[in-house]
Amino acid sequence: MLKRGIGVALLCIAGQAYGADIVVTTTEDIEKDDKECSLREAIEYINREAGKEGYLGCGGENSTTTILLKANNTYVLNKHIPVKKSLTIRSVAENDGNWSSTEQVRGRENARIQMKGTDNLFRIANNENWITATLKELDLEGCGAASCAEEGGLIYNQGRLSLEHSRLFKGAAIKGGAIYSAGQFGDNLMSSVIIKNSLIENNKAQQGGILYTKLPFFFITQSVLRDNQTSNLSSANIYTAGQVADLETIERKNAEMSSSTLLKNSGVLINVVDGMGLNNLTIVDNADTALRLEAPHAKAYVANSIILKNGAQDCQITATDKTTVQNNLVGSCGAGEARYPNQIWTGTHLFAEKTNQSEGVCQNFRENTTAILCPYSIPKDQFLGYIRPRILLSHAVVEDSPIVNKGLPSNKVDNNLIGCAEADQRNNNRLMDNQFCDRGAIEVIVPTSTSLVGQDLLKGEVAKFSIQPYLGDSDLLPKEQCSILVGPPASGQSWQDGCLRIVQTKTESKGKTTIDLEGNVTYTPDSGWHGADIFEIQVVTSSTRFNKSKPYLVLSTQIVQELKNEMQDKSVKTSGGAWGFGGLIALLGLIGLQRSLKD
């Protein structure tokens, strides 16, 4: 019943929304002549270019090469599916009865493709032509065994593979735990891999736990790569095995990684070769060396990144390496180039977590005053987590931060300097009209005074809400610091956390407001009044305090209190009166009479 229900819903609705896209109507891995269309049959329809004839229940006249899967459903494979022609596979989701893309929170409502056998999921290969396989909003789950395939635990790629808002996990192989990319094939064709806004975790291989590529042709951005494993220490989790024959033609961005977070991986993380550029990465708490630099032709770079707490050393620099290393915050990657050098971090407590772990709940400034990073966490209703930089109270000026404003936007650099990536991991644009941008995957966002907060109450209730979502990447000041940083409190009062000030704007005060260091606000009405209390919550944060003339973040606040409706209308009966079944029949008769009179 499940597979038939999927088919009916999608065929009736998705056809209108997506035209002639191919709708998969069963979650089972079947290939037989029936009315159902499986994922295997849908791909084979495209492989065969079957046209209007269709193939085993899939496709038909005017069908596109886009395959639709229903979000939050699991599609099982018993063996890999060959992909021989260009195609797109994506999820569609149901929102309020309408079928649409999952763009609201892309990545959280993915369809899952799961390998039940011992194999990889897809083998993308056509020796005669260069094909493109685009996978969007999909969870790709490997076989979970010690090895799913020799090459590519999830995907073998001999084409142009593109992944967006997807999750790749439980892949295992000899080479390429998640993906194996074949390099050159056919008539001088090159395979390539593009990964955007995706999560790659818990994959493993002897070589290339995440990606094994024969040549440096890949692009990874705004993604999280964590808990992957490469057992061969002469290899790497992202491993480039060779180099193009003509080094004169190679550029430093043939392979690029930017605005991404890499943590808790085992084995060397990346071998940096000629043709590769690494920019604005946060590479922390990996079990072994983060980067092995081996680019003898000076056509590779590592810039504007945070590379800390990785094994015994953050970087291993080979004897012949000539990688350009600029403006990173590192523990042991060397001084970098003299014109734009690295900054060596000498602290011991990196994460504001109670046991200094790289994942968990970020401590406030009363609990931790020295750690420069919040641990990795996933915000509510988001797909990817991130590691947030902290602006410490010990920073007298912004320039004291080892992260904030330590990079240059790309429009302010020359050929010898490498500017920041244009957007951070969360797709926040780095300020191109500003003088500086930030190291690492995250561009620190300073909060602005444009938000409206508050709550509606009934008489006798207390309002409780949080202003944390409006603080940007900042923290509230502890009350103990307020007199030092913004001066004494108003006469007869004492400071609360955040140096809280309440400013009435349109009404007189009708209640009491308190706040804690986590941004939790409690408002208690002083009586059972009816109406609104309109005021401003003003707080000082770790970033706004640098504006000496306007250190306060202002949040417009409105509390509306209503009286409880305790009246009962005893004249209205809900049953047993004249409007029983007979009354309903009479009403329907009147409606029919009215309709006949109109006719």
Side-chain angles (χ1 to χ4, degrees):
M1 293 302 293
L2 172 62
K3 66 175 184 177
R4 189 166 300 279
I6 292 172
V8 170
L10 281 174
L11 283 172
C12 290
I13 304 173
Q16 299 175 13
Y18 295 96
D21 292 343
I22 302 167
V23 179
V24 173
T25 62
T26 175
T27 59
E28 298 177 15
D29 189 10
I30 59 175
E31 194 168 9
K32 62 182 180 179
D33 191 5
D34 57 13
K35 294 182 180 180
E36 301 291 354
C37 178
S38 69
L39 177 58
R40 183 177 302 278
E41 291 167 338
I43 294 175
E44 187 59 22
Y45 166 79
I46 295 172
N47 288 341
R48 291 170 178 255
E49 297 182 331
K52 65 180 181 180
E53 299 300 324
Y55 177 75
L56 300 182
C58 297
E61 190 168 4
N62 299 321
S63 287
T64 71
T65 57
T66 295
I67 297 171
L68 302 181
L69 306 180
K70 185 179 179 182
N72 296 313
N73 277 259
T74 298
Y75 297 78
V76 174
L77 298 182
N78 299 313
K79 60 181 180 180
H80 78 270
I81 301 178
V83 177
K84 301 177 182 179
K85 300 291 182 181
S86 294
L87 54 71
T88 296
I89 307 174
R90 60 165 301 177
S91 297
V92 290
E94 184 177 19
N95 296 308
D96 299 325
N98 296 313
W99 292 90
S100 66
S101 71
T102 58
E103 291 183 1
Q104 280 90 353
V105 185
R106 298 179 69 180
R108 285 179 56 88
E109 307 292 332
N110 292 352
R112 175 174 296 187
I113 303 175
Q114 180 185 59
M115 175 50 63
K116 282 295 186 181
T118 305
D119 202 347
N120 46 27
L121 299 172
F122 301 114
R123 296 185 188 175
I124 303 162
N126 184 330
N127 288 323
E128 298 178 358
N129 297 296
W130 195 59
I131 61 175
T132 298
T134 301
L135 310 180
K136 296 182 178 182
E137 296 134 274
L138 299 175
D139 285 356
L140 305 181
E141 181 178 352
C143 73
S147 181
C148 302
E150 182 175 344
E151 295 176 336
L154 297 174
I155 300 173
Y156 174 92
N157 175 52
Q158 187 179 290
R160 183 180 187 270
L161 170 64
S162 177
L163 294 148
E164 297 180 26
H165 298 96
S166 293
R167 179 185 176 212
L168 285 68
F169 63 111
K170 290 188 179 180
I174 305 300
K175 296 179 179 180
I179 301 169
Y180 178 95
S181 195
Q184 185 173 335
F185 62 96
D187 187 16
N188 201 33
L189 299 172
M190 302 287 183
S191 64
S192 63
V193 176
I194 300 172
I195 300 173
K196 299 178 180 179
N197 306 109
S198 293
L199 174 62
I200 306 179
E201 62 179 342
N202 295 311
N203 301 286
K204 59 185 178 181
Q206 293 181 21
Q207 301 182 63
I210 296 169
L211 169 66
Y212 182 106
T213 178
K214 284 190 174 181
L215 296 174
F217 290 97
F218 61 86
F219 178 79
I220 302 173
T221 188
Q222 296 176 326
S223 296
V224 173
L225 301 86
R226 54 166 302 168
D227 296 296
N228 301 285
Q229 179 182 350
T230 296
S231 57
N232 186 338
L233 292 181
S234 64
S235 182
N237 278 282
I238 298 174
Y239 182 62
T240 303
Q243 189 54 270
V244 296
D246 185 6
L247 286 171
E248 295 299 322
T249 65
I250 198 167
E251 299 180 3
R252 293 195 299 183
K253 285 191 177 181
N254 281 10
E256 184 180 11
M257 289 190 64
S258 65
S259 301
S260 296
T261 298
L262 302 92
L263 76 158
K264 290 189 173 182
N265 299 284
S266 299
V268 175
L269 195 54
I270 308 170
N271 70 317
V272 180
V273 303
D274 286 301
M276 188 180 299
L278 275 57
N279 199 6
N280 280 114
L281 302 177
T282 297
I283 306 176
V284 294
D285 196 26
N286 295 283
D288 298 285
T289 298
L291 307 179
R292 182 188 298 120
L293 306 181
E294 44 187 10
H297 300 281
K299 293 189 174 183
Y301 67 84
V302 180
N304 306 310
S305 295
I306 300 170
I307 311 171
L308 293 171
K309 197 182 175 183
N310 299 291
Q313 56 183 352
D314 293 315
C315 296
Q316 176 187 350
I317 304 173
T318 59
T320 59
D321 176 68
K322 295 181 181 178
T323 299
T324 299
V325 180
Q326 290 185 352
N327 190 45
N328 303 287
L329 179 63
V330 300
S332 56
C333 284
E337 291 198 340
R339 188 180 174 196
Y340 207 19
N342 292 335
Q343 180 174 346
I344 309 300
W345 184 72
T346 58
T348 57
H349 202 95
L350 181 59
F351 298 104
E353 198 273 341
K354 60 183 179 180
T355 57
N356 198 22
Q357 297 298 305
S358 61
E359 187 170 11
V361 178
C362 191
Q363 294 177 301
N364 59 46
F365 279 135
R366 189 170 291 122
E367 298 166 327
N368 186 303
T369 60
T370 59
I372 60 173
L373 297 175
C374 280
Y376 179 87
S377 64
I378 304 174
K380 182 181 179 181
D381 297 327
Q382 295 298 309
F383 174 43
L384 298 178
Y386 59 90
I387 293 174
R388 176 172 71 84
R390 298 173 89 215
I391 302 173
L392 303 183
L393 299 182
S394 59
H395 299 158
V397 292
V398 176
E399 289 72 19
D400 289 341
S401 168
I403 297 170
V404 179
N405 285 1
K406 285 298 189 290
L408 294 176
S410 58
N411 64 341
K412 294 184 179 294
V413 299
D414 57 33
N415 291 332
N416 296 317
L417 295 180
I418 300 161
C420 292
E422 292 185 0
D424 78 348
Q425 181 185 309
R426 302 172 298 184
N427 205 35
N428 293 318
N429 290 329
R430 298 183 187 267
L431 301 179
M432 294 297 105
D433 59 344
N434 202 351
Q435 187 176 359
F436 301 107
C437 50
D438 301 340
R439 288 171 175 153
I442 299 301
E443 184 77 8
V444 172
I445 301 301
V446 177
T448 57
S449 301
T450 59
S451 300
L452 175 65
V453 299
Q455 192 172 324
D456 293 345
L457 304 175
L458 294 176
K459 178 183 175 181
E461 294 180 339
V462 173
K464 292 185 178 182
F465 56 93
S466 175
I467 65 167
Q468 185 65 45
Y470 308 101
L471 300 181
D473 296 317
S474 302
D475 299 275
L476 292 176
L477 266 62
K479 58 187 178 183
E480 298 85 0
Q481 298 289 327
C482 292
S483 294
I484 300 171
L485 294 172
V486 298
S491 177
Q493 298 182 15
S494 58
W495 282 122
Q496 293 191 55
D497 289 327
C499 313
L500 176 69
R501 293 195 315 197
I502 299 297
V503 177
Q504 297 297 139
T505 54
K506 296 183 178 180
T507 64
E508 294 182 356
S509 176
K510 300 178 181 180
K512 180 181 179 181
T513 303
T514 60
I515 193 171
D516 65 19
L517 206 50
E518 308 300 335
N520 299 309
V521 176
T522 300
Y523 174 91
T524 305
D526 55 18
S527 64
W529 48 265
H530 172 68
D533 192 352
I534 301 173
F535 55 93
E536 290 177 348
I537 290 177
Q538 299 186 359
V539 290
V540 181
T541 74
S542 54
S543 61
T544 60
R545 67 186 172 93
F546 292 118
N547 188 335
K548 300 301 181 183
S549 62
K550 295 181 179 180
Y552 276 91
L553 168 67
V554 178
L555 300 174
S556 298
T557 308
Q558 181 170 293
I559 304 295
V560 176
Q561 185 173 239
E562 300 285 350
L563 301 178
K564 292 182 179 180
N565 184 5
E566 297 176 345
M567 296 179 61
Q568 293 183 2
D569 188 349
K570 298 182 180 180
S571 65
V572 177
K573 295 184 179 180
T574 58
S575 63
W579 287 101
F581 181 74
L584 179 61
I585 294 297
L587 177 62
L588 292 175
L590 289 173
I591 294 172
L593 176 61
Q594 181 183 32
R595 181 172 299 174
S596 64
L597 290 174
K598 287 184 177 180
D599 294 340

